[in-house]
């Protein structure tokens, strides 16, 4: 199993939210560089268009990281494809692939945060139709140097080339999904690796949806080993489980209460949090031993997970705490995962 971190390039974490955007970006790049040195497999950068985050130009951040790293794979987490031009997305990540010498990946999704739609002139009523059409074009561009294509939301292409081409013959494109059955079926039917974002509740409840993905993939002629499943969950690792909870909970409660106010969720309580960090809950918060045990349990419950990524840097944690977490993941958690 591959282990990594996803970041939303938060500009609001730690130090009483006094960190400048310049310093926040530099510290993020330091963390990606350190994750590479510690042996983590992948680092993903999200996409938001809000004051609290610095990740609106995902491929630019990843390209800066590529120049400072050697082995770690660099991915989006996720690219809001519905509000983007698939040709430009491919060109940006193909360029990243050249800079990184073949370490680029794209995780595409419709986006649970919807601020990109009005910003780039798209109507939310076309939420699914936009994604379906643009995913089709992205895959065609990835697989073909010359493109002939037409659709509803973009001018047609008549035997036009798209450059540069990625170093990887088939640059990985993952489908990022939440809880919509149609999204799982779509990923399976296309034979795309699946990245499941579980941010609340109990992880094992996603098993029926992942079964739908595998069934759709096999029905489309893909072999089981071609149908990769990844899991993205909020979490944090510290030297002990007690210390991890003490450091993680205040920022988590603040952030998710704010998100809840925006999206209609109830405020976070300590009792609810305790349920999320128990054996079946989604949050991977604890010592390396506790976190590794829970990741393996989740993988077994979901029928096998090939990649797990922590989303941890928007919970009020300081740079030093995040660096310590990265070191613990690389030196202690990953060896435990490999032992199984």
């Amino acid at each position: 199993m591959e282990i990594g971190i996803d970041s939303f390039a938060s500009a609001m974490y730690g130090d009483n939210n006094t960190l400048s955007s310049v310093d926040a970006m530099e510290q993020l790049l330091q963390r990606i560089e350190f994750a590479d040195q510690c042996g983590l497999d992948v680092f993903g950068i999200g996409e938001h268009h809000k004051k609290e985050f610095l990740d609106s130009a995902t491929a630019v951040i990843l390209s800066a990281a590529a120049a400072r790293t050697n082995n770690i794979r660099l991915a989006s987490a996720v690219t809001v494809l519905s509000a983007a031009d698939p040709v430009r997305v491919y060109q940006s990540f193909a360029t990243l692939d050249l800079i990184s010498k073949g370490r680029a990946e794209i995780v595409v999704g419709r986006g649970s945060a919807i601020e990109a739609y009005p910003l780039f002139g798209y109507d939310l009523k076309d939420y699914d139709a936009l994604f379906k059409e643009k995913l089709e074009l992205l895959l065609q561009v990835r697989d073909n140097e010359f493109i002939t294509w037409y659709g509803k939301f973009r001018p047609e292409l008549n035997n036009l080339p798209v450059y540069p081409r990625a170093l990887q013959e088939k640059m990985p494109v993952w489908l990022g999904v939440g809880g919509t059955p149609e999204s799982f079926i779509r990923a399976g039917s296309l034979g795309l690796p699946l990245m499941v974002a579980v941010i609340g509740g109990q992880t094992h409840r996603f098993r029926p949806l992942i079964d739908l993905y595998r069934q759709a993939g096999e029905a489309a002629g893909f072999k089981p080993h071609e149908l990769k499943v990844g899991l993205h969950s909020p979490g944090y690792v510290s030297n002990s489980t007690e210390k991890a909870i003490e450091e993680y909970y205040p920022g988590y409660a603040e952030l998710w209460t704010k998100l809840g106010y925006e999206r209609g969720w109830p405020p976070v309580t300590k009792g609810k949090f305790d349920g999320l960090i128990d054996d079946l809950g989604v949050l991977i918060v604890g010592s390396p031993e506790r976190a590794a045990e829970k990741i393996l349990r989740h993988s077994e419950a979901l029928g096998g997970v090939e990649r797990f990524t922590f989303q941890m840097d928007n919970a009020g944690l300081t740079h030093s705490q995040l660096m310590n977490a990265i070191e613990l993941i690389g030196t202690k958690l990953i060896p435990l995962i490999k032992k199984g």
Side-chain angles (χ1 to χ4, degrees), residues 6-8 44-49 55 58 75-81 93 106-113 131 174-177 195 197 232:
D6 290 332
S7 169
F8 296 162
I45 299 291
E47 179 190 337
H48 297 82
H49 303 270
D55 60 349
T58 306
S76 58
V78 301
T79 295
V80 184
L81 187 61
F93 280 86
I106 313 174
V107 183
V108 297
R110 295 178 296 182
S112 60
F131 184 73
W174 295 66
L175 191 58
V177 299
M195 179 56 69
H232 157 109

Side-chain angles (χ1 to χ4, degrees), residues 142-158:
R142 179 194 66 172
D143 296 340
N144 300 279
E145 183 176 345
F146 284 79
I147 305 297
T148 296
W149 178 92
Y150 67 92
K152 178 181 178 182
F153 299 105
R154 189 199 187 283
E156 65 184 53
L157 298 163
N158 294 305

